[in-house]
């Protein structure tokens, strides 16, 4: 091989190597799957969550909701309260998604997971009494608790009962829905304020009957 | 670009001075020793007709090249130790009178700060709790009580030259006096789980008026 030819090959190879070093990663489900590795310790590889860690079931949740919540954490609209240990933990993890498109990629991967079947029985309540309270929830979340993107209302059916109860309590305590800019959290909070502790348990018990 | 880290606490300068002292002494010996060794290599390089000698190092005129620098290094070690102890006593063993006491709580993966409200007393109903951001007054001495909610963390404020481990089940007390207004980084420097790398925060050193306004604006209303 001539010296000129060797130089040409070297330049091409160097270009290939440098091209591999630079530039943002390709976004999409494959990227989302890689990013999801950091979610696994709390949410599990199937996205079923962990009561011990306060991590909800996220597998199969709609991408729009997962992405919106990641942005909410990143903006400090969730996880800002000093005693919200679970929220603080998630807020920091959301910060680790720092590249353009990361939120959408991981949300797309989470949405692609099958919705896990979660065990109930952590919250004891009167489901029949809870059905009456749920009438208000149904206006946004749907009568079947399947959620409504137009109202920014996530699916409730299929979620852990302990998580639903904890979120109602957080909204009521002002740990969610009180930060300026958190429009949809602020919309939810007045509804949670209407429920006393027993009513919260009842409505969660009713949600557990929804499939 | 500023290549130097600001010295924003009263003892940051003394810690930097100690590090500079060690760097200069060790650096000077490094250069001297390496220079001497290279001189020996050049001075006693191979020459025609000169046989290699075996030196067992016991002859006084040769041994002095080891024993005298050794003695000097030991003396300088004592200088470094004395200087280090002086800084250690000042930073870690002395607790100056505090203008306020705050609590710094580490958890996976964030910092929570509890500080007195308008009543200036910690652990009362009007305490101010913040996450990620700590607000302090310039030129005031603070005691901090470090606690952990879960695992080992380490509270680090580089511009203050603070790095103190946070141990679950213990309350570790320290102090600082900010000397330069501004906003600076807080970081965790003990690996504490998957989110350790993004477990940061900010400390806001405010002037007296600004801090008084912040306290007044953030003290919760206490209902009797």
């Amino acid at each position: 091989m001539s010296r000129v030819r060797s130089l040409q090959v070297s330049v091409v190879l160097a270009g290939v190597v440098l091209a591999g070093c630079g530039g943002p990663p390709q976004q999409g489900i494959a990227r989302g799957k890689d990013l999801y590795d950091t979610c696994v310790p709390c949410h599990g590889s199937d996205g079923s969550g962990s009561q011990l860690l306060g991590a909800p079931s996220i597998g199969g949740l709609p991408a729009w909701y997962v992405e919106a919540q990641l942005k909410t954490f990143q903006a400090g609209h969730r996880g800002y309260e000093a005693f919200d240990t679970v929220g603080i933990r998630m807020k920091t993890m959301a910060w680790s998604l720092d590249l353009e498109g990361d939120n959408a990629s991981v949300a797309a991967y989470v949405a692609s997971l099958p919705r896990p079947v979660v065990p109930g029985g952590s919250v004891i309540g009167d489901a029949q009494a809870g059905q009456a309270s749920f009438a208000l929830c149904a206006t946004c979340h749907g009568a079947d608790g399947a959620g409504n993107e137009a109202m920014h209302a996530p699916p409730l059916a299929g979620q852990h009962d302990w998580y639903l109860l904890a979120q109602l309590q957080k909204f009521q305590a002002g740990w969610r829905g009180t930060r300026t800019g958190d429009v949809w959290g602020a919309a939810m909070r007045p509804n949670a304020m209407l429920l006393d502790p027993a009513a919260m348990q009842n409505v969660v018990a009713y949600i557990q009957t929804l499939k | 670009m500023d290549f130097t880290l600001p010295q924003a606490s009263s003892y940051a300068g003394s810690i930097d001075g100690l590090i500079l002292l060690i760097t200069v002494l060790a650096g000077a010996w490094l250069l001297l020793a390496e220079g001497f060794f290279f001189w020996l290599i050049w001075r006693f390089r191979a020459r025609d007709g000169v046989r290699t000698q075996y030196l067992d190092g016991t002859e006084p005129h040769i041994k002095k090249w080891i024993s005298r620098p050794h003695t000097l290094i030991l003396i300088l070690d004592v200088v470094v130790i004395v200087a280090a102890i002086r800084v250690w006593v000042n930073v870690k063993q002395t607790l100056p009178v505090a203008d306020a006491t705050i609590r710094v709580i580490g958890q996976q993966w964030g910092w929570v700060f509890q500080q007195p409200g308008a009543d200036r007393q910690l652990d009362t109903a009007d305490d101010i709790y913040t996450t990620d951001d700590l607000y302090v007054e310039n030129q005031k001495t603070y005691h901090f009580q470090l606690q952990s909610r879960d695992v080992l963390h380490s509270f680090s404020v580089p511009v203050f030259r603070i790095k103190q481990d946070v141990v679950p089940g213990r309350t570790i007390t320290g102090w600082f006096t900010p000397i330069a207004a501004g906003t600076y980084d807080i970081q965790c420097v003990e690996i504490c789980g998957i989110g350790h790398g993004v477990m940061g925060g900010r400390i806001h050193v405010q002037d007296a008026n600004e801090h008084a306004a912040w306290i007044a604006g953030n003290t919760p209303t206490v209902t009797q």
Side-chain angles (χ1 to χ4, degrees):
Chain A
M1 193 184 291
S2 71
R3 187 168 290 183
V4 173
R5 181 77 174 160
S6 298
L7 186 62
Q8 287 174 336
V9 170
S10 300
V11 168
V12 170
L13 285 176
V16 169
V17 171
L18 290 173
C21 293
Q26 183 81 29
Q27 293 292 350
I29 283 195
R31 165 79 175 158
K33 186 179 181 185
D34 288 342
L35 291 169
Y36 189 75
D37 284 347
T38 58
C39 317
V40 169
C42 295
H43 292 283
S45 56
D46 61 351
S48 59
S50 163
Q51 185 173 6
L52 180 68
L53 298 169
S57 170
I58 58 173
L61 283 178
W64 64 263
Y65 177 67
V66 175
E67 187 174 357
Q69 290 311 299
L70 286 170
K71 289 178 178 172
T72 303
F73 277 111
Q74 287 159 350
H77 294 159
R78 291 183 69 176
Y80 55 81
E81 216 290 330
F83 296 98
D84 184 8
T85 55
V86 173
I88 291 171
R89 190 184 304 140
M90 182 57 214
K91 179 183 64 179
T92 310
M93 292 312 297
W95 284 345
S96 69
L97 301 170
D98 58 349
L99 294 182
E100 181 79 27
D102 278 356
N103 288 340
S105 292
V106 78
Y109 177 71
V110 169
S112 75
L113 295 172
R115 193 85 177 110
V117 176
V118 298
S122 297
V123 177
I124 307 300
D126 181 345
Q128 198 169 0
Q131 185 173 9
S133 301
F134 189 77
L136 179 61
C137 315
T139 56
C140 293
H141 294 278
D144 56 358
N148 181 351
E149 182 177 359
M151 299 299 292
H152 290 250
L156 303 177
Q159 186 53 269
H160 291 288
D161 51 3
W162 52 263
Y163 178 77
L164 294 173
L165 181 62
Q167 298 317 299
L168 286 172
Q169 291 167 339
K170 286 184 183 184
F171 274 114
Q172 195 165 77
W175 295 11
R176 288 186 66 176
T178 56
R179 280 289 168 104
T180 305
D182 183 14
V183 176
W184 297 105
M188 173 63 203
R189 188 162 185 252
N191 301 312
M193 300 297 283
L194 298 173
L195 302 173
D196 62 27
M200 283 187 190
Q201 290 184 293
N202 292 343
V203 78
V204 169
Y206 175 71
I207 292 169
Q208 294 306 297
T209 68
L210 301 174
K211 300 296 177 191
Chain B
M1 185 182 288
D2 186 4
F3 289 97
T4 59
L5 197 61
Q7 297 172 338
S9 76
S10 58
Y11 49 64
S14 65
I15 292 175
D16 285 358
L18 178 62
I19 293 171
L20 182 64
L21 175 69
I22 294 169
T23 305
V24 167
L25 292 179
W29 275 111
L30 174 73
L31 294 175
L32 198 61
E34 293 300 318
F36 183 64
F37 286 140
F38 279 110
W39 178 79
L40 288 176
I41 290 169
W42 178 81
R43 172 68 180 79
F44 297 104
R45 65 190 180 280
R47 287 181 174 142
D48 293 340
V50 178
R51 286 176 60 84
T52 304
Q53 297 178 54
Y54 174 72
L55 303 174
D56 62 11
T58 56
E59 298 89 339
H61 75 284
I62 294 173
K63 190 181 174 185
K64 69 182 180 185
W65 290 100
I66 300 297
S67 58
R68 290 180 183 175
H70 189 195
T71 304
L72 273 172
I73 286 172
L74 288 176
I75 291 169
L76 292 176
D77 277 350
V78 172
V79 171
V80 169
I81 290 168
V82 169
I85 288 175
R86 284 168 60 90
V87 172
W88 175 260
V89 167
N90 177 41
V91 176
K92 292 288 188 182
Q93 300 296 314
T94 307
L95 206 55
V97 176
D99 295 299
T101 299
I102 61 174
R103 187 164 292 132
V104 177
I105 304 162
Q107 73 147 80
Q108 290 177 317
W109 294 279
W111 296 104
V112 173
F113 306 102
Q114 178 187 358
Q115 59 185 306
D119 70 355
R120 296 178 171 271
Q121 298 295 318
L122 193 65
D123 290 325
T124 58
D126 78 339
D127 283 356
I128 302 170
Y129 291 87
T130 56
T131 54
D132 306 324
D133 292 272
L134 172 62
Y135 296 83
V136 296
E137 184 177 339
N138 197 14
Q139 303 292 348
K140 295 290 184 187
T141 297
Y142 288 84
H143 289 182
F144 57 84
Q145 298 176 353
L146 283 176
Q147 296 176 348
S148 170
R149 285 177 173 167
D150 38 43
V151 299
L152 280 173
H153 300 279
S154 191
F155 179 63
S156 167
V157 184
V159 295
F160 285 5
R161 310 300 189 266
I162 287 177
K163 179 188 171 296
Q164 175 60 58
D165 282 1
V166 189
V167 183
R170 290 182 59 186
T171 297
I172 297 172
T173 302
W175 69 280
F176 60 79
T177 305
I179 59 167
T183 297
Y184 308 105
D185 288 340
I186 295 171
Q187 55 193 17
C188 178
V189 289
E190 180 72 42
I191 290 182
C192 59
I194 197 166
H196 164 72
V198 276
M199 181 177 166
R202 291 159 299 277
I203 185 164
H204 306 267
V205 179
Q206 303 172 307
D207 64 34
N209 291 335
E210 190 182 6
H211 189 64
W214 184 86
I215 293 284
N218 287 275
T219 298
T221 305
V222 178
T223 52
Q224 299 296 323

